[in-house]
Amino acid sequence: ILQGYVNLPAVTVFVNVEDLQAELQARWAEAPDRVWRLGTGEFGDSLALDELTGLHEGLIPLFTRHPNTGLEIKSKWHQLGHLLPLGPNPQVIFAWSLNPPELVREAEHATAGLRARLHAARRAAGAGFRLAFHFDPLIFFPGWQAAYRRTVEDLGAVASSGDVAWISLGALRFPPLLRQIMFARFPHSRLGAEEMVRAPDGKLRYFKNLRVEMYSRMREWLTEVLPGTQVYLCMESPRVWREVFGWVPEGEELARLLDGRLSPDRT
């Protein structure tokens, strides 16, 4: 996605961490009663370079001192041993994007394998941090049902409902331009060759019925292994929400639900 959105063949590391921390504390002081849910990992993997940058070694203690804040550290990497001594801290959520091993090998080059990510999640929970997981993008392929069910079962073997703040589901979607980038740079990939339709938001998506089926099955399997966990859809239409969950979050309702999951005493 970043190849189509940024199209910069490099990872940018911002080194003015003191400015970041000062800005955060100023904003928190302006609205001390507000819940602040923030995250790293939107434009690069949160953990991949963290041992070099030291970003989270400064951020985690900062969040500890502000009870109405939460930090989600999103990653496809597994090395977090340098951060574990900073726990326990239920305000800090280590989050992993998950896919079946065959998709990790095919489409998530130079990332940690599924087993390594789940082992890292177990270590984070054992150190007193909370967890989140993102099945995003969910990718259709022959045999997806069995592959994703095994992945959910593997997740259930390393995490408990009390460990997990939330789990998101999002089917593969991308701007039309990205399909051409995929064909040019990854000619053997099947991701861009699946049948898709241009949705009202301009993105190419799987047909609605397939998305509903994938979300419904994932919700069913996740409920079996992690009952009570907050599962939500990422960037989906109200129609799909209603067919999968029977309701549609209105206004800031979803944001409030996630705010309430920041720490165990808020659930």
Side-chain angles (χ1 to χ4, degrees):
I1 292 296
L2 291 180
Q3 294 186 49
Y5 184 72
V6 179
N7 200 25
L8 178 67
V11 176
T12 301
V13 177
F14 296 95
V15 297
N16 56 332
V17 178
E18 294 81 3
D19 295 337
L20 167 63
Q21 295 185 10
E23 183 177 345
L24 286 174
Q25 294 188 86
R27 295 292 299 275
W28 294 341
E30 292 172 1
D33 296 328
R34 176 180 171 182
V35 175
W36 296 84
R37 179 167 39 85
L38 302 105
T40 55
E42 293 294 328
F43 293 95
D45 193 287
S46 290
L47 294 178
L49 299 178
D50 195 62
E51 289 183 286
L52 296 175
T53 66
L55 174 63
H56 294 96
E57 288 177 285
L59 282 181
I60 290 175
L62 179 66
F63 279 74
T64 305
R65 299 195 296 269
H66 296 270
N68 282 348
T69 65
L71 173 66
E72 183 177 13
I73 302 173
K74 304 184 185 77
S75 184
K76 288 183 170 70
W77 198 231
H78 65 294
Q79 293 180 352
L80 43 60
H82 62 296
L83 299 177
L84 297 182
L86 300 175
N89 188 336
Q91 292 170 245
V92 175
I93 300 166
F94 283 93
W96 280 271
S97 171
L98 300 183
N99 259 313
E102 50 265 58
L103 286 179
V104 173
R105 290 191 295 268
E106 175 183 339
E108 298 182 353
H109 306 151
T111 66
L114 174 66
R115 187 177 299 275
R117 297 182 205 182
L118 294 177
H119 178 66
R122 189 201 300 247
R123 295 180 68 199
F129 297 99
R130 303 195 75 207
L131 307 176
F133 300 96
H134 301 287
F135 287 91
D136 190 351
L138 286 170
I139 295 173
F140 172 81
F141 63 98
W144 69 268
Q145 298 97 325
Y148 274 105
R149 179 153 198 171
R150 285 195 303 270
T151 302
V152 170
E153 291 171 348
D154 290 342
L155 169 58
V158 303
S160 66
S161 299
D163 298 328
V164 181
W166 51 68
I167 298 175
S168 73
L169 306 175
L172 180 67
R173 71 273 182 196
F174 46 78
L177 175 63
L178 187 59
R179 174 173 267 180
Q180 304 309 315
I181 294 175
M182 293 164 72
F183 287 149
R185 299 184 183 175
F186 306 96
H188 300 295
S189 174
R190 55 185 168 178
L191 270 66
E194 295 295 343
E195 188 174 20
M196 293 179 139
V197 62
R198 189 159 184 166
D201 63 0
K203 295 178 182 177
L204 294 176
R205 295 177 178 267
Y206 297 139
F207 285 96
K208 181 176 72 72
N209 288 348
L210 176 58
R211 301 194 328 261
V212 168
E213 180 185 1
M214 296 183 81
Y215 294 146
S216 298
R217 297 288 77 75
M218 288 294 295
R219 184 191 179 203
E220 174 188 336
W221 300 329
L222 287 166
T223 300
E224 289 176 0
V225 302
L226 295 170
T229 300
Q230 180 69 57
V231 180
Y232 69 96
L233 302 183
C234 185
M235 298 183 183
E236 266 298 351
S237 69
R239 291 179 61 193
V240 171
W241 264 93
R242 190 171 300 281
E243 290 196 36
V244 175
F245 289 97
W247 66 283
V248 179
E250 301 288 347
E252 299 296 316
E253 186 175 2
L254 179 58
R256 289 194 297 270
L257 284 174
L258 298 182
D259 289 346
R261 300 284 301 185
L262 277 179
S263 64
D265 58 353
R266 285 197 181 100
T267 57

